[in-house]
């Protein structure tokens, strides 16, 4: 893959030029609308700082959550603008719209080294439209914000697997460059994708079952072991004939799981015990560690059990490469966080004791590492991308990257 990077843009000179940057600020928020993990904001700073220092007039586009194509205060980038101002030590203005009058006026008014964030690009339905012409029209309006000798920098790694207007179409309209975050992610994940040292272990969990079951086949071909926990595992357990009661289940994927077990059975490692809870909200729940056939009637499983953590940790201890995506349980509640914490610690130990190259991918997985108080530096790489990192490992084309290729 060859594309121009941020250094190429800086060498060409950015002083006084408009530079449109696509960042990934899709951070988790709590019910009060506060950012619970600023990891993606922190990861975007190197590119933004370099452009500011170079004297660019920086305009940043980003999305937050799924506002479904219309303005929604709940998904405003306001908390992001505040956090970014703090991190950069410089005021970051937030436009009231995406490509409207306010965004244009503010973009035109920028001076060297100033930075403007426009509102959530997903407030406009054209951002994610399947209709090429609609997306292209929106991309033209985004590009028009960078009227002054504009350039485009793609730095939102978490969205490069999407052919969306602010990621893909706009890159065709302006001289386009990969930002430092995108470049670093491609280099580190590329290493896992193309030359993983064996044993190569993939750990999968989380809740986006239907999204992720699709990648298992591709990963099973390449990996030596696939450890499955979190919301992913119950569909497999049902495929094996267990009753998972009210645990997360993707009914329509049970047959797919049966096929996967038949084909890759010796590579797929499922839990041997589970944490069962009488209800989802841990503050009122009764909990119990149970065997696979022991979830009490009407209960659900919210985490893997301690024997499973031991089993997974034993396999991870022998690994030379690990990719982990998806928490092992509902880690947001401390009572259900032990499985995720244990597996994360096993990755850290494998890095330290076995020289394993360990990569964490996925917004919630990365957030778990930080919020559970684990040592971020204990991993070889923490990716900001979930779907994007999985697709890269599968060997799929990432439209937001290939569009940058020259
Ligand atoms: P990532 O963002 O790392 O790719 P996902 O978005 O797929 O991960 O999944 C993260 C979510 O999965 C977390 O919010 C977590 O609470 C949830 N989860 C994990 N285990 C379970 C489970 N057993 N039941 C329900 N949800 C779960
Ligand atoms: Mg997630």
């Amino acid at each position: 893959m060859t594309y121009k990077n941020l250094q190429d843009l800086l060498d060409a000179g950015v002083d006084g030029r408009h530079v449109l940057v696509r960042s990934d600020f899709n951070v988790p928020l709590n019910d009060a609308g506060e950012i619970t993990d600023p990891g993606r904001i922190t990861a975007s700073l190197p590119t933004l700082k370099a452009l500011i220092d170079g004297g660019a007039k920086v305009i940043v586009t980003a999305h937050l959550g799924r506002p479904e194509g219309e303005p929604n205060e709940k998904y405003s980038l306001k908390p992001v603008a505040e956090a970014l101002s703090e991190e950069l030590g410089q005021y970051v203005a937030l436009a009231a719209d995406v490509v409207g009058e306010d965004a244009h006026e503010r973009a035109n008014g920028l001076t060297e080294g100033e930075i403007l964030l426009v509102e959530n690009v997903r407030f406009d339905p054209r951002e994610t439209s399947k209709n090429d012409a609609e997306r292209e029209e929106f991309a033209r309006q985004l590009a028009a914000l960078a009227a002054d000798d504009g350039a485009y920098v793609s730095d939102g790694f978490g969205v490069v697997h999407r052919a969306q207007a602010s990621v893909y179409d706009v890159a065709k309209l302006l001289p386009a460059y990969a930002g430092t975050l995108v470049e670093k992610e491609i280099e580190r994940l590329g290493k896992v994708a193309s030359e993983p040292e064996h044993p190569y272990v993939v750990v999968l969990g989380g809740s986006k079952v239907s999204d992720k079951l699709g990648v298992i086949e591709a990963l099973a071909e390449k990996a030596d072991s696939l450890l499955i926990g979190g919301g992913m595992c119950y569909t497999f357990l049902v495929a094996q004939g267990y009753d998972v009661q009210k645990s997360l289940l993707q009914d329509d994927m049970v047959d797919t799981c049966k096929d996967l077990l038949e084909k890759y059975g010796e590579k797929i490692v499922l839990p041997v015990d589970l944490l069962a809870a009488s209800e989802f909200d841990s503050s009122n729940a009764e909990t119990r560690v149970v065997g696979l056939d022991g979830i009490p009637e009407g209960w659900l499983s919210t985490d893997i059990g301690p024997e499973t953590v031991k089993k997974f940790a034993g396999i991870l201890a022998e690994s030379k490469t690990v990719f982990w995506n998806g928490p092992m349980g509902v880690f947001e509640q401390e009572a259900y966080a032990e499985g995720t914490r244990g597996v994360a610690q096993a990755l850290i130990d494998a890095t330290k004791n076995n020289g394993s190259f360990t990569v964490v991918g996925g917004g919630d997985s990365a957030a778990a590492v930080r919020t559970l108080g684990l040592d971020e530096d204990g991993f070889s790489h923490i990716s900001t991308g979930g779907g994007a990192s999985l697709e890269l490992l599968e060997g799929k084309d990432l439209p937001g990257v290939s569009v940058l290729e020259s």
Side-chain angles (χ1 to χ4, degrees):
M1 279 187 274
T2 51
Y3 43 77
K4 293 199 184 109
N5 66 14
L6 188 71
Q7 195 54 51
D8 294 319
L9 173 58
L10 295 172
D11 290 347
V14 292
D15 196 16
R17 290 175 68 185
H18 270 139
V19 180
L20 185 72
V21 183
R22 177 57 158 101
S23 295
D24 177 7
F25 294 143
N26 192 24
V27 287
L29 301 176
N30 63 17
D31 292 339
E34 296 156 348
I35 298 170
T36 52
D37 177 50
R40 284 176 162 165
I41 295 177
T42 320
S44 72
L45 297 176
T47 291
L48 297 177
K49 278 187 177 149
L51 289 169
I52 290 168
D53 290 347
K57 304 172 184 172
V58 184
I59 303 158
V60 189
T61 62
H63 79 281
L64 180 66
R66 294 172 187 247
E68 321 239 309
E70 55 184 64
N72 180 338
E73 186 62 24
K74 195 175 150 208
Y75 298 110
S76 167
L77 288 173
K78 198 157 172 267
V80 170
E82 283 165 10
L84 197 55
S85 299
E86 206 158 296
E87 297 271 2
L88 288 169
Q90 150 175 5
Y91 176 65
V92 178
L94 174 66
D97 47 30
V98 190
V99 289
E101 215 174 297
D102 193 53
H104 273 276
E105 262 170 36
R106 287 178 185 273
N108 287 335
L110 286 171
T111 61
E112 285 79 359
E114 283 188 338
I115 172 167
L116 166 72
L117 179 63
V118 299
E119 256 300 1
N120 192 335
V121 284
R122 291 195 187 167
F123 284 181
D124 193 306
R126 295 172 296 174
E127 166 69 359
T128 58
S129 172
K130 297 263 182 295
N131 179 319
D132 292 351
E134 283 179 11
R135 276 200 331 274
E136 282 159 16
E137 185 197 35
F138 183 50
R140 268 194 297 278
Q141 294 175 0
L142 287 169
L145 293 172
D148 210 349
D149 196 13
Y152 171 71
V153 174
S154 172
D155 210 32
F157 179 70
V159 284
V160 291
H161 60 314
R162 305 280 189 218
Q164 296 172 346
S166 69
V167 179
Y168 175 77
D169 302 276
V170 76
K172 297 180 174 176
L173 302 174
L174 293 168
Y177 303 82
T180 51
L181 176 62
V182 159
E183 211 183 6
K184 182 169 94 180
E185 293 270 17
I186 292 171
E187 189 239 316
R188 305 252 174 102
L189 290 163
K191 196 172 139 164
V192 177
S194 60
E195 49 193 40
E197 203 183 324
H198 294 272
Y200 172 23
V201 181
V202 173
V203 188
L204 280 183
S207 59
K208 292 181 192 157
V209 182
S210 50
D211 283 13
K212 292 183 188 179
L213 282 175
V215 312
I216 290 190
E217 175 115 40
L219 292 175
E221 287 287 340
K222 299 182 178 177
D224 301 296
S225 310
L226 261 169
L227 317 183
I228 298 178
M232 298 283 296
C233 71
Y234 308 103
T235 308
F236 280 93
L237 294 176
V238 167
Q240 290 191 322
Y242 292 105
D243 185 346
V244 298
Q245 297 291 334
K246 296 204 165 145
S247 308
L248 196 68
L249 175 66
Q250 183 96 27
D251 276 318
D252 54 343
M253 294 298 260
V254 171
D255 284 337
T256 310
C257 288
K258 277 187 190 155
D259 293 345
L260 285 167
L261 284 167
E262 209 156 285
K263 203 162 166 199
Y264 302 103
E266 76 287 10
K267 287 187 178 184
I268 295 176
V269 185
L270 290 169
V272 291
D273 62 349
L274 301 166
L275 183 75
S278 58
E279 55 187 293
F280 184 82
D281 181 351
S282 65
S283 53
N284 303 313
E286 194 185 326
T287 62
R288 200 180 297 166
V289 173
V290 297
L292 300 182
D293 51 7
I295 303 176
E297 206 182 324
W299 288 32
L300 76 168
S301 169
T302 49
D303 197 5
I304 56 175
E307 285 307 315
T308 304
V309 172
K310 257 189 228 160
K311 184 167 184 181
F312 285 6
I315 296 167
L316 289 165
E318 307 287 320
S319 70
K320 281 292 178 192
T321 307
V322 183
F323 178 71
W324 171 36
N325 170 274
M328 295 291 102
V330 187
F331 73 95
E332 295 90 340
Q333 304 184 57
E334 181 54 38
Y336 307 146
E338 269 322 290
T340 302
R341 186 180 276 120
V343 165
Q345 187 59 49
L347 260 75
I348 293 175
D349 294 343
T351 319
K352 190 163 154 230
N353 304 330
N354 209 40
S356 187
F357 188 76
T358 53
V359 176
V360 182
D364 292 292
S365 311
V369 164
R370 287 183 283 262
T371 56
L372 297 179
L374 292 145
D375 177 17
E376 279 182 77
D377 297 331
F379 303 89
S380 307
H381 180 58
I382 299 183
S383 174
T384 54
S389 61
L390 282 168
E391 292 198 12
L392 200 154
L393 290 192
E394 275 179 82
K396 276 198 188 159
D397 175 59
L398 303 174
V401 175
S402 43
V403 73
L404 303 175
E405 278 164 32
S406 42

